Structures are given as C-alpha cells and as structure tokens.
Amino acid sequence: YTNTPPTGPYRGFGIPQVCWAYESQMDEIARRLDLDPLELRLKNLVQEGDVFVTGDKLVSVGIGNCLKKVAEAINWGGKEEQTRRAPAGKVSGKGLAVMIKTTMAPSNSAAIVRLNADGSAVLLTSSVEMGQGTHTSLAQIVAEVIGLPVERVSVTFPDTDVTPFDQSTSSSRTIFNMGNAALRAARQVRDQLLEIGAKALEARIEDLELHEGFVQVKGVPERRLEISQLFRVHFGAPVGSLFGSYDFQTTAEMDPKTGKGKSTVFFFFSACAAEVEVDIRTGKILVNRIMTSVDAGKAINPRQCHLQNEGSMIM
C-alpha cells in the first residue's frame, strides 16, 4: 500500500522483549528457591570492572544503586510482596526489573560550529530532533564551550545538501556522539577567539576566559572585548565567521564466530519497580505506583532526562 509508512526503530527496539524474558526468569528462580527477588538480583548484578559476556569491561556501573532506589520508592518488603490479597476481590503485587543495553558501534557523527560577528552561533548537525530534546542539549554544549548565552546558539535541522553526516538518530547515541563532535568543533572556535583576544588585549591565552559573549582577562573583568570587537580586530570590520568542525568516530570490533570483542562504547543500566492491582472478577488492571532509576551518566539537561525517563517508564 502506498499509504503505509516505512518502519523504523522505536524506543530501544528488541531490548524490552529480552528484558521481559530474563526478568521473568529471575522471578521464577526466586520463587522456586524461596528467595527475595530483590536480594537475588543484588547478588547477581554486574559490578564495576566486571567483564561482560562479549568481553567488554564494564565501567561506570550504577545498576545496584538504581535497583535499591526503586525498591525503596515502592516500599519493597521482601518476597511476600510479590502477590498478596487486596480487599473486594482484588489481588496486588510488587515487581522489580533491571535492564542493560548497548549503543551502536562503530558509529560516526560530524558537526560544524559557525560563530557569527554578532555573537550568535550556529551548530550544523544532521541529528534529528523528535521531541527528545536533542537541540536543547547540543545548544547547551556549544554555548558553554564558547561562553555564550544558550539562547544565542541555534541548531539546524538535517539537510543532506548542507549538514554534515550523522549515522542515525537512534540507539541513545546522539548526545554522546554528536555532543562530543559539537564539543570539539566548538573548542576549535573557542581557541580562535582566545588567540584573537590575546593579541587584542595583549595578554596570554591562558590568562583569558570566555563569558557571556566576551573575551576577558581572568580576575580583571573590565579588560574585555565583545565578539563583534574581536571580529573587527581580526577581519578589519565586524563581519565574517569563525568555523570549527569535528568528525567523532567510535570503534567496535566483534568476532562473528565467537561473539567476543568490543561491542559498544558504553552500556546503559536502569531499574524499575511497580505496584499493580488486579480485579480477579473483571480482569481490570491498575498500576498504583511505578518508579524508575537510570544510570544516565552526566545529564546535560536534567529536566529533560527526567521527562525522558518518565515517558519511557509509562510506555
């Protein structure tokens, strides 16, 4: 049918199905051994420095803390919490689950940063903004590096005639991959500004800083020049642009015969806990409480991270 759109990835495709299988298995093991599902998981979770089944060494592993947090949030009381009677023909129970996920590798993302004479900046990127907040976070990264107010940074939408290559907007890779590309491209612009500022202010580069659209001498804020003045020094008039570009490449190499090697740049970890009530007469299900905790690393925009977690948890 011509009215059928092409299919594509959607919210960690393939991972929830596998997670459901192995976490159901953990609960079954706990029941057969008469163990607390929480304690069984805590005893078997991966730890910092462990080697994954693929051969990858695990770093920045916070899954244990994630699981403890969600269990505490729903007042987990042990194995007796799994199923219990509720009033008026209903049963209720609490459940726990943990998740591990890789990201796409090898992977390639390129970014270009253009600084204009009026003190505004443009990030040229082919990453797709689909409501996840990519443009906001990328603008924050560029603004922080160049010392601009974030509202002075605009981020382009993809245009394959103009914007540089990005492998995909999927696999939870954008802020790490494109963010690193944008960071390094912005640093190139920053270095150019500091070099121009050092000549204009007759100071050493290491004695200068960028702040709110100015290059200034550290500790002497009155000795400063705004970007338009620096462009005048460099170009002879407040016109022109400064550019920085970077192609961020991650690597991975797996042996297709053994499944061993480097499979990812990093791993994601998260935990979830829920309290569910079921009417045994009608089959109606009510989720009374659900909590999630994610080992997200550095949150560029914590508010957006919370909203992402809330949306995926509800789904």
Side-chain angles (χ1 to χ4, degrees), residues 119-121 135-144 147-155 212-213 300-301:
S120 64
H135 280 193
T136 302
S137 295
L138 292 175
Q140 285 181 254
I141 292 170
V142 172
E144 183 173 312
L148 297 175
V150 70
E151 59 270 15
R152 297 290 285 158
V153 179
S154 60
V155 182
E212 294 294 312
I300 302 300
N301 190 306

Side-chain angles (χ1 to χ4, degrees), residues 242-278:
L242 297 180
F243 289 91
S245 63
Y246 197 87
D247 192 346
F248 186 78
Q249 176 74 50
T250 61
T251 59
E253 187 174 354
M254 294 285 289
D255 186 326
K257 293 182 179 180
T258 65
K260 303 295 183 180
K262 182 174 177 57
S263 62
T264 183
V265 184
F266 53 86
F267 286 87
F268 296 91
F269 302 94
S270 72
C272 193
E275 182 177 10
V276 179
E277 184 178 274
V278 180

